[in-house]
Amino acid sequence: MKWHIITIGHDNRHEADSIIKGINAGGILCSAGAAEIIVNDRIFRLHEHQLFIYPPYAKIATASISPDFECVALAVDHQFLLDALKSVSWSNNLQLISDNPVAAISECHSSRIYRLLDLILPLIDKSDNHLKALSAECMKRALTYEVLDTFTEQATIPAATTSTKDSIVLEFQAMLKSKYLQHRDVQYYAAMQGLTPRYFSTVIKEMTGNTASYWIIKAVIVEAQHLMLDYSISIKEITYQLNFSSQTFFSRWYKHYTGETPTQFRKRNRI
C-alpha cells in the first residue's frame, strides 16, 4: 500500500502548504495551531484536536496556516481509502464527506492514534527485514482504519437530503463508480438521468463545485495512478485496463491532464 507519514512542525512549517495540497487521500491530525483548508472552493478551519479527512476526488488548497501549526499528515493509497469507506453506511454519498471533512476527536481517540504512530515509525526504514516490513504494513492499515473509525464516529453527518439536485449528484456518483472506464462523456451520464447535458452539467457544478467532466477525468486519473503504483503491471497493460485505444494515446491524455507522463509519474513515486 502506498503510504506516507509527514510530521509538520517548527522545522518544516514553511512546507505545510505544499504538503497539504500534495496529498490525494488520507488525513491530517492537528496537534497545535490552526489551518484553513479549501475543499472544492469551500473553506474549513482545522483546529487543535481535530481531524481532517481528504474527501475522495476533491480539489484541495489552503487559505491560511497559523505560525504555530503542527500536525501529522497521513497519505494513503486512494483506492484503499475508497474501499475502507465502503463499510460506512453514508459513504456512498461522497458529497457528504466533502461537506463535512473536519471532526473533533477525543483524547482517547487521539491517544490510540499516536500509540500506533509510535509503533510504526521505528519500522518505516526496516524494509531490509521482511518480517518487520510486513509488520509495518499491517500497522499502517490498522492506523488508517483507526483514523477513519475516529472520523466516522465523531463527524457530524446530516441526514441525506432528497431534493432533485441532490438526487442528480448522488445518481451521478453511483454511476461514475462503475461506468467511468467505459463512458467518459458527460452526455452519457446526462442521458441516463433523462437530462440535457447543459442542465446536468449546471447542477453538478453548482452542487459539487466542479464540472461533471472534472469528476469523470479525476476518476480515471485516480485509477490510473493506483494501477501505476503496482510496478508488476506494465504501462501497456494499464492502457487496456483503462480502456484506452493505445499506449501513446493514454500517455498523451495523462500528460495533458496531469502535466507528466505515466513513466514520469512512476519514476517520481518509486520508493
Side-chain angles (χ1 to χ4, degrees):
M1 179 176 68
K2 189 72 175 179
W3 189 95
H4 294 291
I5 176 172
I6 308 162
T7 301
I8 298 175
H10 175 74
D11 294 337
N12 66 339
R13 193 172 294 118
H14 62 285
E15 300 175 353
D17 176 70
S18 60
I19 291 172
I20 292 171
K21 291 190 294 187
I23 295 175
N24 289 320
I28 298 174
L29 178 60
C30 180
S31 56
E36 290 184 326
I37 302 176
I38 305 172
V39 179
N40 297 333
D41 300 321
R42 289 183 59 193
I43 296 178
F44 296 90
R45 190 166 177 82
L46 178 66
H47 295 277
E48 183 178 358
H49 303 310
Q50 286 187 327
L51 176 64
F52 172 84
I53 291 292
Y54 282 77
Y57 309 123
K59 181 172 63 177
I60 302 295
T62 59
S64 67
I65 297 172
S66 70
D68 57 342
F69 181 65
E70 294 182 6
C71 75
V72 173
L74 301 174
V76 305
D77 179 78
H78 200 289
Q79 190 59 48
F80 177 79
L81 179 65
L82 288 175
D83 291 341
L85 282 170
K86 288 178 182 177
S87 63
V88 183
S89 61
W90 44 261
S91 66
N92 280 337
N93 185 353
L94 300 182
Q95 189 59 37
L96 288 179
I97 305 173
S98 296
D99 290 341
N100 304 270
V102 176
I105 60 173
S106 67
E107 187 174 336
C108 177
H109 282 101
S110 179
S111 177
R112 288 211 303 265
I113 291 172
Y114 279 109
R115 282 203 301 270
L116 279 170
L117 284 170
D118 289 340
L119 290 171
I120 293 170
L121 289 175
L123 301 176
I124 294 294
D125 298 322
K126 304 295 183 181
S127 56
D128 56 324
N129 185 312
H130 184 60
L131 288 177
K132 282 188 170 60
L134 287 175
S135 178
E137 188 70 15
C138 290
M139 282 192 282
K140 288 174 185 177
R141 291 178 178 271
L143 175 61
T144 305
Y145 287 131
E146 181 65 36
V147 168
L148 288 176
D149 178 63
T150 297
F151 175 78
T152 56
E153 206 174 288
Q154 301 297 320
T156 303
I157 302 297
T161 57
T162 56
S163 74
T164 301
K165 290 182 178 180
D166 285 322
S167 297
I168 291 171
V169 173
L170 290 174
E171 183 66 21
F172 173 54
Q173 290 173 340
M175 284 194 295
L176 191 58
K177 287 182 181 180
S178 60
K179 302 291 187 181
Y180 69 92
L181 292 180
Q182 292 78 36
H183 300 283
R184 296 175 188 149
D185 55 300
V186 174
Q187 290 83 353
Y188 170 82
Y189 295 97
M192 290 295 290
Q193 297 197 51
L195 304 171
T196 65
R198 182 175 181 178
Y199 177 71
F200 174 76
S201 298
T202 299
V203 170
I204 298 301
K205 173 69 174 177
E206 176 187 336
M207 299 298 287
T208 71
N210 286 293
T211 65
S213 294
Y214 169 88
W215 294 116
I216 296 168
I217 293 166
K218 183 73 172 178
V220 179
I221 290 174
V222 167
E223 179 62 15
Q225 292 176 342
H226 173 69
L227 293 171
M228 286 190 287
L229 291 173
D230 182 347
Y231 295 94
S232 67
I233 308 175
S234 68
I235 299 296
K236 184 176 181 180
E237 289 176 290
I238 292 171
T239 295
Y240 294 111
Q241 285 193 42
L242 295 176
N243 201 29
F244 283 90
S245 58
S246 70
Q247 183 174 334
T248 300
F249 178 64
F250 168 59
S251 295
R252 288 176 178 171
W253 182 94
Y254 186 83
K255 184 174 182 179
H256 175 74
Y257 289 110
T258 68
E260 62 182 354
T261 66
T263 301
Q264 289 170 332
F265 172 85
R266 274 194 156 170
K267 288 180 179 179
R268 183 169 58 82
N269 287 277
R270 186 180 291 276
I271 298 175

